[in-house]
Structure formats: C-alpha cells, structure tokens
Amino acid sequence: MALTEFGLIRRYFDRAASPGQATHASGVALGIGDDCALLRVAPGMELAVSTDMLVEGRHFSPGADARNLGHKSLAVNLSDLAAMGAAPRWATLALSLPEANPQWLEDFSEGLFALAGLHGLSLVGGDTTRGPLTISITVLGELPAGLALYRAGARVGDDLWVSGELGGASLGLAHARGEVKLERGDAAAALKRLHRPEPRVELGERLRGIATSAIDVSDGLAGDLMHILERSGTGALIEYARLPRPSAFHRLAVAEVALEARCVLAGGDDYELAFTAPQAAREELQALSKELGLALTRIGAMQPPGTEPQLLVLDAAGRPMPSQQGFDHFARFNA
Amino acid sequence: MALTEFGLIRRYFDRAASPGQATHASGVALGIGDDCALLRVAPGMELAVSTDMLVEGRHFSPGADARNLGHKSLAVNLSDLAAMGAAPRWATLALSLPEANPQWLEDFSEGLFALAGLHGLSLVGGDTTRGPLTISITVLGELPAGLALYRAGARVGDDLWVSGELGGASLGLAHARGEVKLERGDAAAALKRLHRPEPRVELGERLRGIATSAIDVSDGLAGDLMHILERSGTGALIEYARLPRPSAFHRLAVAEVALEARCVLAGGDDYELAFTAPQAAREELQALSKELGLALTRIGAMQPPGTEPQLLVLDAAGRPMPSQQGFDHFARFNA
C-alpha cells in the first residue's frame, strides 16, 4: 500500500504546488491537488502547447537510466517550445509504470525537475497509473502574440541555419548498439547527446523577429526540414560539407562514411533548431551565436520549389546526395 | 508505409486545424501541423488544465470498442474540467498503438470528436507512437478568474449534493465480469454508464458562484469526497438511503446488498459531480436541476472535523456503515 498511495506519488511530483512556489509570479493560481490546475496567461501572450509520448522499448531501452529519462522526456517537449519561440511555463506529466519503485521515481523526478528548474517551468498536474513504462508530457509556454516561429514562414532566398551539431545523438545510439566503436571520450560525448539533449530554449526565444521559420531536429534534419518546405512552399539546398557535426566523425574509419551521412542528415534526437532567416540577418545571428556560446551555422539556402517541395543535398564535389528519411514511429501530428 | 506515415494519422486527427475551423473565434491561432499549437486565452479568464492516462488491461479491456474508448478517454478529462467549473476549449492527444489499424483509428477518432463537438472543444495537437495501447489526453478549459470550484471551499453546515446516479458504471463492470447477472435492459443501461459516461460539463459551469466545493466521482464517492474533506478541513455525514442509484439495484437479489454498497459508495467511473453548497442555495439548485434535466440530490451535510477529516455514512437505521475505499491505480496527483 505504502508505495501505491496518493501521498507517495505526491512526494515525488508535487513540488510546484508547495507553499511559496505556487506563486502568482509563476502564473500558477492552483497547482497539484485539485481536479485541474489553474493557470494565468499574461495579457498579450499566446499560449504554445505541445505533447510527446515516450514508450519503453521504442524511444528508450528497458532499464534506461531514470534520471536521464526524466531529463529527456521533458527536453523533447521543451525543444518543441523552443522551435516555436515560446518561453516554457508549465507542464503536466502522465506516467504509466510497471511498479512504484521509489528509487526510480526519485531519480526520474530529479532529472525532470532539474531541467524544469533551469527553464523556470512548473509541473502543475498529472496522472500516474500502473502499466507498461510510458511517459507523456504536455508543455505549455508563452510568447508575445504574433511573434511565433511558424514552419510556414520561410521565403526563397532566405539562409538556412542550424544550431549546435548534428548527428551526435544517433552516433551515440549506433555506439550503444555496437554498430560502431568509438573512443572513450567520443562515446561519452555522443551518449550525452543521446540521453541528455539540451533544448535550445533561449535560442528559440531570441530568434523571434529574426527567423522566418523554425523547427527542431528531432527526427533527422532531412525529414524535419521537409516540414518547413511543405508548409512554406519552397525548396532548399544544403551543402553537406557545411553541416556541423561532432569531431568524433573525423576519427571514424573511411568505411563509416555512410554512417556519418545517415547520422548527420537523418539522425534523430539532436534537438537542435533548424531555421531560416533573411540574408540581412547574418551579422545579427553571428552576434547572437557569440552571446549564447552556441554555434549557429549557415548550411544552405531556400530555393524556389520544383514541381513539389524538394530538399537538395550537395556533397563537397557539388553532386546531389541520396535523400535521407527522418525517423517515423508513426508520426507526430503536432509538435 | 501507407499506414505509418504522417498523412494518414493526420487524416484521423487533424480536424481542428482544417480551414475554417481553426478560427480566431475558437481561440486557436494555430492548430495541428507545427511544433506547437498556439492558443489565445480570453482576457480575464483562467486556464484550467487536466491530464489523464488510460492503459489497456487496466482502465479498459483488450479489444474494447474503439468508439467507446475515444469517447471515454475524453470524457474523463472533461469531467475534471466540469468539477472545476471550467468550459472545455482545447485538447491534446498522445496515443500509443500496437499497430496503425485504420478501422480502429476511424472509430476511436469518431468517438472522440463526437464528444468534443458536443462541448465545443478543439483537438489542437498530439503525438502517436507504436507501443502498448495507451491513451493520454490533456484538456484545457477556461473560466472567469476567481470563480473556480476548488476542493478546499466546503464549510461546516453546507449541504452535500451529487448529480445523476451513482454505482451504475461499476454495476456494469460487475455484470461484464460475470459477478452479477442483470436483466437485459438494466445491463444495457449499466454498460452505457461504464463505457460512455456523460461528463457534467454544463452543470459544472452553472455551479460557479453557487457551489462552495466540487469534485468529480471518478474513483468512488467515498474516496473522492475524502479529498474535499482533507482540503476543506471538515467532516461529512451521508445518509446512504438518499444516494441516487439506478433502479437496477432494486431488482438484484437480497444477497447483493454488499455489491450495491460497494458500487454506490466506492464504484468508480460514474463521472457525476459531488459538490457542497450553502443551505440557502437549495431552491436555486432544484431549479437548476429542472432546467438541466439532471437530478441533483442532497445526500448529506458537512460536519465539524474530528481529530481528522472523517466521512460518516449512516444506513437507513442511522447506524454507521463501513468505510469504502476509492479505486487507486497508483494515484492521480492532480485531476
């Protein structure tokens, strides 16, 4: 009984509603403990909402580290807010667990709350149940009305940019699966990218008014960019050599060239932002990169559409590379 | 491929965002198809948020009717909004499915959208993935700031009320499990209560300014009322004979008296509202009952607390009945 009752679950997750934290300042009129949470969206702000579901055996391995899981399950949602230019505010958590393991719950909630705290986000409600390990988080963010970064806003002639590095997370996954053997330092870095992605929340907020469109790289650059092309009605050209990638790839055998292309173009889970911006914004973006201490790399340009939106990736010799599909469990139909 | 791609899932769920529906009027600035949905909360309104997760084999049987599931998985969330006095506005859906079965998806989405349409709610986003059948919905509602029905507002001397009838859903479950044999008409009515509960949304909204506290009866009256007692710091006395219940119970054998008490006091899934109100509100509530065509029954009164919040249930002879525990998968830590 002790492990299954109301009180214990609240012990791990009822932090936002503790006295002094459920303050008006955080927009929480009522936190955990009633039929609903009550929130106050500031005047003039739009509410951004996104939901993800992570399933054991599909999105993470059985026995995955609970702290990492708590971090990552929130990170993937924060990344969606970042791609919209929204500031994280609140979240709900629905959690199905095979058993109420106190150590697991402590680790999971620690990972989740550490990341939430970094971004000023309050957990305001949720549901726990017994069942296959499944984590679903809904995040709510705010942004000034009219300033959201839509997928649909890219224009022909815009530069195409990406933050950070691509391919690290899927390189980590390939290493974990024994498909490739990395040096110890490279392995640690790649696995960190896989298990503890850093959502580009601050970048997203700063791109308001600069970027014309944005998406987060969750399913692979090529697949994710296709959403921008489809919504914006443009094509795009990418120079493969420009794509920022971890230096670990340079230390792989020549035989791994295909692996590199797969990781960099189609590897999911990097949670960087890909965005478009007018050429006139180059200096501003370089300054922003310096200010945030985060690489922002111009990787190509938006092109007129062909008969259908088309993503062209050119290799160092200027030859088209085969297209790479993003990862598709079934599909996220939003976010 | 055809069944797993982006387009097919959107076929079933992307209704809110179709042209003409994602209108400003509904508060949806941007629906399905981007990184987040963008919503506009009306000035002066608070946002009410609730999340539930339903797992196959726990909350519903393997092979359960998909249309009923679509209905019920939304209904349980709408019931939380009702208990808060909030008007339903938007929802997100996270869905894990063993396979992308078109018939199942069509039925499920039909059940969900039929109920959503009744209450003017838009599905604005979500996530689908392959995995054990699991449904998690987050609903967002609006209500005028300061008028929410908290669990904490009950006062000693208030009347205790309940809407509709109690015990029907768990009687249906007992019938489905073969624990009791109902006549055909009684069985149909009880199973309808179990599979297609009617969230008391309109009642919840109308109780603003009348009720002093409210909760929805999801886990059983006795257990759910305890949340009001704990939060309000009161006791309560219920007259068992007053509890409204389906007439099917009268047709059960005398040997089923214990079953009746279990269903009526501790049976979950009825999704009626239990609420407290000042004695001065009796006439107003009787008029409201007539107007809504929904029974509202005064079942007891709020009492001074003992050494701890206590729920006393008296039988027809005025003797205390054994307490009945609500259902607890693990626990909902909000909503």
Side-chain angles (χ1 to χ4, degrees), chain A residues 72-142:
Chain A
K72 187 166 180 176
S73 55
L74 181 57
V76 302
N77 281 287
L78 293 180
S79 183
D80 286 317
L81 290 181
M84 213 73 207
R89 299 304 310 276
W90 312 289
T92 62
L93 164 68
L95 185 58
S96 167
L97 292 169
E99 53 172 0
N101 177 327
Q103 188 61 54
W104 192 95
L105 282 163
E106 188 166 323
D107 292 346
F108 178 86
S109 61
E110 261 190 40
L112 189 148
F113 280 104
L115 184 61
L118 269 182
H119 296 288
L121 177 138
S122 302
L123 187 72
V124 295
D127 191 15
T128 53
T129 184
R130 195 179 290 270
L133 183 52
T134 307
I135 304 154
S136 181
I137 290 183
T138 299
V139 285
L140 304 171
E142 283 180 323

Side-chain angles (χ1 to χ4, degrees), chain B residues 66-326:
Chain B
R67 198 174 278 100
N68 285 345
L69 266 184
H71 174 98
K72 186 165 179 175
S73 54
L74 181 58
V76 303
N77 281 286
L78 291 181
S79 183
D80 286 317
L81 290 181
M84 214 72 208
R89 299 304 309 277
W90 312 288
T92 61
L93 164 68
L95 185 59
S96 168
L97 292 168
E99 53 173 356
N101 177 327
Q103 187 62 53
W104 192 96
L105 283 162
E106 190 167 321
D107 292 346
F108 178 85
S109 61
E110 260 189 42
L112 189 148
F113 279 104
L115 184 61
L118 269 182
H119 296 288
L121 177 138
S122 304
L123 186 73
V124 295
D127 191 14
T128 54
T129 184
R130 196 179 290 269
L133 182 53
T134 307
I135 304 154
S136 181
I137 290 182
T138 299
V139 285
L140 303 172
E142 284 180 322
L143 77 169
L147 289 188
L149 307 175
Y150 287 56
R151 294 178 180 175
R155 290 168 300 204
V156 174
D158 280 353
D159 292 327
L160 179 56
W161 296 76
V162 74
S163 65
E165 296 178 333
L166 297 175
S170 52
L171 182 62
L173 186 62
H175 176 79
R177 288 177 171 166
E179 295 167 19
V180 67
K181 175 81 184 146
L182 299 179
E183 293 172 20
R184 184 181 296 200
D186 289 341
L191 290 171
K192 181 154 186 261
R193 291 284 296 176
L194 178 63
H195 295 310
R196 300 186 71 85
E198 292 179 50
R200 302 307 187 188
V201 171
E202 195 175 0
L203 174 62
E205 293 184 56
R206 297 295 295 276
L207 287 177
R208 292 177 200 152
I210 303 175
T212 51
S213 72
I215 194 168
D216 67 321
V217 183
S218 53
D219 297 335
L221 179 69
D224 289 324
L225 279 180
M226 284 307 294
H227 296 306
I228 286 188
L229 303 195
E230 283 160 11
R231 290 243 151 194
S232 299
T234 65
L237 185 149
I238 290 178
E239 295 171 64
Y240 180 74
R242 284 178 171 267
L243 294 176
R245 67 205 81 176
S247 59
F249 284 111
H250 307 322
R251 290 183 282 278
L252 291 181
V254 175
E256 305 291 2
V257 168
L259 174 75
E260 180 185 295
R262 176 161 65 84
C263 289
V264 172
L265 283 172
D269 277 352
D270 282 318
Y271 300 102
E272 297 294 348
L273 294 187
F275 58 95
T276 57
Q279 297 177 21
R282 287 179 189 177
E283 276 186 33
E284 194 177 2
L285 286 166
Q286 278 149 7
L288 179 60
S289 168
K290 197 168 287 180
E291 184 189 337
L292 297 181
L294 174 66
L296 297 180
T297 307
R298 192 155 50 81
I299 61 172
M302 305 311 283
Q303 305 274 319
T307 50
E308 55 187 50
Q310 197 182 4
L311 176 66
L312 249 181
V313 183
L314 301 183
D315 67 16
R319 288 170 308 215
M321 296 173 64
S323 90
Q324 304 274 352
Q325 278 280 346

Side-chain angles (χ1 to χ4, degrees), chain A residues 267-282:
Chain A
D269 276 351
D270 281 319
Y271 300 101
E272 296 294 348
L273 294 187
F275 58 96
T276 58
Q279 296 177 23
R282 287 180 188 176

Side-chain angles (χ1 to χ4, degrees), chain A residues 4 6 32 34-35 39-40 46-47 51 53 58 92 124 126-128 130 151 330-335, chain B residues 4 6 32 34-35 39-40 46-47 51 53 58 92 124 127-130 151 330-335:
Chain A
T4 64
F6 198 71
I32 288 174
D34 212 302
D35 294 290
L39 308 173
R40 292 189 181 133
E46 282 178 349
L47 186 72
T51 295
M53 182 176 259
R58 179 146 298 268
T92 62
V124 295
D127 191 15
T128 53
R130 195 179 290 270
R151 293 179 180 174
F330 287 125
R332 297 144 102 200
F333 56 90
N334 192 2
Chain B
T4 62
F6 199 71
I32 289 173
D34 212 303
D35 294 290
L39 308 174
R40 292 189 182 134
E46 281 178 351
L47 185 72
T51 295
M53 182 176 259
R58 180 145 296 267
T92 61
V124 295
D127 191 14
T128 54
T129 184
R130 196 179 290 269
R151 294 178 180 175
F330 287 125
R332 297 144 103 201
F333 55 89
N334 190 2

Side-chain angles (χ1 to χ4, degrees), chain B residues 25-69:
Chain B
S26 71
V28 181
L30 179 67
I32 289 173
D34 212 303
D35 294 290
C36 295
L38 292 178
L39 308 174
R40 292 189 182 134
V41 177
M45 302 297 262
E46 281 178 351
L47 185 72
V49 182
S50 183
T51 295
D52 275 280
M53 182 176 259
L54 277 67
V55 176
E56 184 180 62
R58 180 145 296 267
H59 303 88
F60 56 90
S61 307
D65 180 84
R67 198 174 278 100
N68 285 345
L69 266 184

Side-chain angles (χ1 to χ4, degrees), chain A residues 171 175 179-183 186 240 245-263:
Chain A
L171 181 63
H175 176 80
E179 294 167 18
V180 67
K181 176 81 184 145
L182 299 177
E183 293 173 20
D186 289 340
Y240 181 74
R245 68 205 81 179
S247 59
F249 284 112
H250 307 322
R251 290 183 282 279
L252 291 182
V254 176
E256 305 291 1
V257 168
L259 173 76
E260 180 185 295
R262 175 161 66 84
C263 290

